[in-house]
Amino acid sequence: MEINLSSITLRPFRLSDAEDLMSYAGDEQVTRNLRWKTMTTKDEAVTFLKDVCIPHPWRRSICIEDRSIGFISVFPWSGDDSHKADIGYAIAPKYWGQGITTEAIKTAVPQVFKDFPHLLRLQAFAYSENKASQRVLEKAGFQREGLLRKYGYIKGEIIDLVVYSFLSTD
Amino acid sequence: MEGNGGEGSNELFNITLRPFGLSDIDDFMVWGTDEKVARFCTWEPYASKEEGLNYIKHTIIPHPWFRAICLDGRPIGAILVTPGNDRCRAEIGYVLGSKYWGKGIAARAVKLVANIIFKEWKHLERLEAYVDVDNAGSMRVMEKAGFQREGVLRKYFILKGRTRDMVIFSLLSTEFPS
């Protein structure tokens, strides 16, 4: 299915996204590389939307024709580190490999710097084996800074992560 | 016995680690008032003993792991390990009185700490350090202590109102002792 990249939009989440959320949050292929727990019921999705996605400082649904096919989240750090924020993202596997995530990130980045005026550094961590995710960041203009060995402890595993950044001045 | 403590010299230094106490205030004030030492630290040189005592009381003593670097039993610097957000990693930091720079003392202390902390914190697998790109002395400490340089994190830190690029170093439990 070929998607016209200009039809990709970003918007806040709604409770009505619950079923569409399940198409990626319920898929192990996707959640394997996230800190998210794999969702099994629509009720879980509704709760997650209500308690996490909607009140979130900056989480957007990646949409095609206003239907959620993925998300982008930005977590600003607090206090002395508030000039930094972490960005994370995922889309449903059936949309992989078409440049959709890259397009969504490219759209999101200027919005993020506008919404967080004190932000100087947007950083992302990709699993060292997740080449597709690293390509998204590279194509979206992030700079690869290094491989952080045994940096993360996610879902019981210690993993190497590649760190990327996009500065407000980039 | 620990070997050569000097850089190209045959001086042997008796370096030990121990917790701080308020009675260490006078020794603390030697490096705590030194501009050269404070340059890459988040703090400005301490202006009074009272400020120094507050720092020992409110920052050093409650910290999860903070030790004095001692030469013949007297504190000449400090070294600390702060747990990361994931249990497999922790950050090491160190500071040394400037008259003791360049003799391999800080690297010795880092190695002593690595030896202790990987045993004490069972889940720890990665000890990391963030060094200012302009802090050549500290980068030498990292190299001498056997840490691997992983990259430069741009505008990672704000030091005294200015953004700084930081070099990130790490030592894995599997690499230690080398």
Side-chain angles (χ1 to χ4, degrees):
Chain A
M1 165 195 339
E2 268 235 18
I3 303 293
N4 177 1
L5 292 179
S6 61
S7 69
I8 307 296
T9 54
L10 299 179
R11 61 155 171 79
F13 275 94
R14 307 168 187 149
L15 290 177
S16 52
D17 290 323
E19 221 168 279
D20 291 332
L21 186 75
M22 290 294 286
S23 74
Y24 48 96
D27 190 334
E28 274 256 357
Q29 273 188 90
V30 174
T31 57
R32 180 177 55 193
N33 289 331
L34 303 173
R35 291 188 193 258
W36 290 27
K37 198 169 74 78
T38 313
M39 255 162 246
T40 48
T41 67
K42 194 173 160 191
D43 277 349
E44 271 185 85
V46 171
T47 306
F48 188 65
L49 284 162
K50 190 158 44 108
D51 296 346
V52 181
C53 297
I54 291 167
H56 195 282
W58 207 100
R59 180 165 284 175
R60 297 288 179 267
S61 166
I62 301 173
C63 294
I64 291 176
E65 285 164 18
D66 207 43
R67 299 285 295 272
S68 183
I69 62 155
F71 76 91
I72 298 179
S73 297
V74 175
F75 298 84
W77 292 48
S78 59
D80 292 332
D81 292 319
S82 59
H83 67 289
K84 294 189 286 209
D86 291 352
I87 187 165
Y89 49 85
I91 60 170
K94 79 183 207 197
Y95 296 102
W96 288 1
Q98 298 181 59
I100 294 172
T101 314
T102 303
E103 188 62 29
I105 298 284
K106 280 173 148 175
T107 305
V109 169
Q111 279 183 31
V112 171
F113 282 114
K114 187 154 158 280
D115 291 345
F116 294 105
H118 300 298
L119 187 64
L120 300 175
R121 171 188 171 87
L122 192 55
Q123 52 182 35
F125 296 87
Y127 278 53
S128 57
E129 291 118 46
N130 194 344
K131 303 296 181 197
S133 186
Q134 290 164 38
R135 271 195 307 273
V136 165
L137 295 166
E138 282 153 23
K139 286 193 276 175
F142 280 67
Q143 205 175 105
R144 184 188 204 276
E145 291 172 334
L147 173 70
L148 308 183
R149 308 168 305 153
K150 297 194 178 175
Y151 185 82
Y153 179 67
I154 299 174
K155 292 173 176 165
E157 264 190 73
I158 296 179
I159 49 170
D160 297 345
L161 290 169
V162 185
V163 60
Y164 287 83
S165 71
F166 198 114
L167 302 185
S168 58
T169 47
D170 280 347
Chain B
M1 181 174 184
E2 279 279 358
N4 190 341
E7 213 173 331
S9 77
N10 283 316
E11 290 179 87
L12 288 169
F13 297 111
N14 173 26
I15 301 296
T16 52
L17 306 175
R18 63 156 172 79
F20 271 94
L22 291 171
S23 55
D24 291 321
I25 182 64
D26 290 330
D27 288 328
F28 169 81
M29 290 301 274
V30 172
W31 74 84
T33 54
D34 187 342
E35 253 178 28
K36 291 205 295 288
V37 174
R39 182 178 167 206
F40 293 111
C41 295
T42 53
W43 42 268
E44 295 293 347
Y46 289 85
S48 69
K49 244 166 117 159
E50 195 187 328
E51 278 180 32
L53 282 166
N54 277 333
Y55 179 71
I56 296 177
K57 213 180 335 175
H58 300 300
T59 301
I60 296 183
I61 289 171
H63 191 278
W65 210 96
F66 207 121
R67 298 288 182 272
I69 299 174
C70 296
L71 173 64
D72 297 327
R74 297 268 314 258
I76 59 164
I79 189 161
L80 65 154
V81 185
T82 307
N85 287 336
D86 286 324
R87 70 185 198 179
C88 57
R89 71 178 186 271
E91 181 187 341
I92 189 165
Y94 43 84
V95 72
L96 197 65
S98 56
K99 89 175 207 203
Y100 300 102
W101 288 1
K103 302 176 194 301
I105 293 174
R108 283 263 304 280
V110 169
K111 284 174 157 173
L112 283 171
V113 170
N115 196 36
I116 297 168
I117 208 77
F118 282 128
K119 292 192 195 111
E120 240 176 69
W121 294 359
K122 285 194 326 286
H123 296 298
L124 186 67
E125 299 212 14
R126 169 190 174 89
L127 203 52
E128 58 181 22
Y130 297 81
V131 179
D132 193 293
V133 289
D134 288 341
N135 195 344
S138 189
M139 291 206 239
R140 270 195 305 276
V141 171
M142 288 283 92
E143 284 150 28
K144 282 191 245 170
F147 278 60
Q148 213 176 99
R149 183 189 163 115
E150 290 173 332
V152 177
L153 307 179
R154 306 176 302 155
K155 295 195 180 172
Y156 194 73
F157 192 61
I158 297 192
L159 179 72
K160 294 167 177 162
R162 292 173 60 228
T163 55
R164 305 298 302 165
D165 294 348
M166 305 293 278
V167 184
I168 183 167
F169 287 90
S170 71
L171 182 73
L172 303 184
S173 56
T174 47
E175 297 175 324
F176 189 84
S178 50

